[in-house]
């Protein structure tokens, strides 16, 4: 069983739709990361959160530590949001040692 | 501040050769981690360095090695390259808060290695 599970694997949406990507993990963690990877490979850290909710622009991330579950929401999606979204958790208490989900490939159509 | 830089960006090698990849972290960051990304396995942790010491190592064979210099720059080396080593190699840096807590990882653009 993977320690970090993401769903869905692929997601196609129409511009303007509300999008939710889910992440479940099986290890105890102090924080969870949401990352965005565009074609070409560059990875950008979107959020690091250990409780509750964080918001940045149209992106919202929530986490429920008890349920070991996090969600990434995108409101009013736009074609430029098309990317792979990856959740990651630190392993063994070391923040520099991340375990990654397989990623969710999002495609937003105009 | 300049971001994390990695050199070279692209590399083609043949089986059996060795390769050295370089990562310069964001100024002031002392922690550097390396990751391998392949279509089949996704992103996997290779090593983590802090203040020239390897703190953690992922589940990779001994052909994969790394080091960190006093200026926090880091290199990773892969000896006796195999076809399966073809991947995107990413490094990430972070500032390790003295009081502990969590750190945001800042990723470099990656080095794309092709082994023929």
């Amino acid at each position: 069983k993977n320690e970090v599970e993401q769903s869905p694997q692929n997601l196609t949406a129409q511009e303007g739709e509300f999008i939710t990507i889910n992440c479940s993990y099986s290890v105890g963690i102090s924080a969870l990361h949401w990352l965005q990877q565009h074609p070409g490979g560059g990875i950008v850290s979107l959020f690091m959160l250990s409780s509750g909710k964080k918001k940045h622009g149209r992106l919202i991330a929530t986490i429920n530590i008890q349920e070991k579950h996090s969600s990434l929401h995108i409101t009013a999606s736009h074609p430029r949001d098309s990317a792979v979204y990856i959740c990651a958790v630190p392993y063994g208490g070391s923040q520099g040692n991340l375990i990654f989900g397989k990623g969710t490939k999002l495609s937003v159509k105009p | 501040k300049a971001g994390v830089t990695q050199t070279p960006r692209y590399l083609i090698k043949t089986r059996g050769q060795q390769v050295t990849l370089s990562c310069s972290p964001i100024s002031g960051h002392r922690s550097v981690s390396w990751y391998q990304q392949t279509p089949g396995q996704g992103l996997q942790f290779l090593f983590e360095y802090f203040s020239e010491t390897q703190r953690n190592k992922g589940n990779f064979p001994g052909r994969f090695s790394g080091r960190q210099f006093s200026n926090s720059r880091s290199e990773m080396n892969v000896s006796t390259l195999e076809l399966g080593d073809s991947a995107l190699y990413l490094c990430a840096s972070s500032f390790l808060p003295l009081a502990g807590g969590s750190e945001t990882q800042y990723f470099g653009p990656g080095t794309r290695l092709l082994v023929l």
Side-chain angles (χ1 to χ4, degrees):
Chain A
K1 182 183 183 296
N2 289 332
E3 288 164 304
V4 182
E5 300 269 2
Q6 275 186 247
S7 63
Q9 274 190 293
N10 292 284
L11 185 54
T12 300
Q14 286 299 127
E15 183 173 355
E17 284 186 2
F18 181 84
I19 287 160
T20 296
I21 299 169
N22 295 299
C23 176
S24 296
Y25 53 91
S26 58
V27 295
I29 65 168
S30 55
L32 179 142
H33 301 255
W34 280 103
L35 310 170
Q36 179 193 57
Q37 185 171 33
H38 279 283
I43 291 180
V44 174
S45 180
L46 297 175
F47 295 103
M48 182 183 63
L49 67 165
S50 54
S51 65
K53 177 170 140 178
K54 283 191 175 181
K55 184 174 189 289
H56 181 69
R58 294 179 295 105
L59 301 176
I60 303 166
T62 63
I63 189 167
N64 184 320
I65 294 289
Q66 286 73 30
E67 294 187 3
K68 295 186 175 176
H69 181 268
S70 177
S71 293
L72 176 68
H73 305 285
I74 305 175
T75 62
S77 59
H78 189 276
R80 65 174 174 266
D81 297 326
S82 298
V84 176
Y85 293 83
I86 303 166
C87 72
V89 300
Y91 180 77
S94 173
Q95 297 296 327
N97 176 357
L98 294 176
I99 308 172
F100 300 86
K102 295 292 187 189
T104 294
K105 186 174 182 181
L106 171 65
S107 177
V108 182
K109 306 292 186 189
Chain B
K1 273 186 182 176
V4 178
T5 58
Q6 290 187 247
T7 56
R9 292 292 311 277
Y10 303 93
L11 204 48
I12 300 175
K13 291 285 188 178
T14 56
R15 276 182 300 175
Q17 287 187 308
Q18 75 163 19
V19 67
T20 299
L21 311 181
S22 180
C23 172
S24 292
I26 290 172
S27 177
H29 285 191
R30 295 186 295 165
S31 177
V32 174
S33 295
W34 287 90
Y35 303 95
Q36 181 198 63
Q37 187 176 35
T38 59
Q41 298 298 318
L43 277 158
Q44 293 182 282
F45 169 74
L46 279 158
F47 335 92
E48 179 194 8
Y49 287 90
F50 177 74
S51 291
E52 301 178 67
T53 300
Q54 187 179 89
R55 292 209 302 178
N56 287 290
K57 188 178 193 298
N59 189 23
F60 279 81
R63 301 184 296 106
F64 290 81
S65 62
R67 58 179 175 168
Q68 187 181 33
F69 301 96
S70 58
N71 62 357
S72 294
R73 190 177 70 86
S74 178
E75 288 181 348
M76 67 162 281
N77 183 277
V78 188
S79 62
T80 320
L81 283 165
E82 300 177 0
L83 295 180
D85 298 332
S86 295
L88 179 67
Y89 291 88
L90 293 152
C91 82
S93 76
S94 62
F95 173 72
L96 184 65
L98 292 175
S102 301
E103 312 148 42
T104 295
Q105 299 266 307
Y106 295 85
F107 286 81
T111 294
R112 196 167 292 278
L113 172 64
L114 177 61
V115 182
L116 300 175

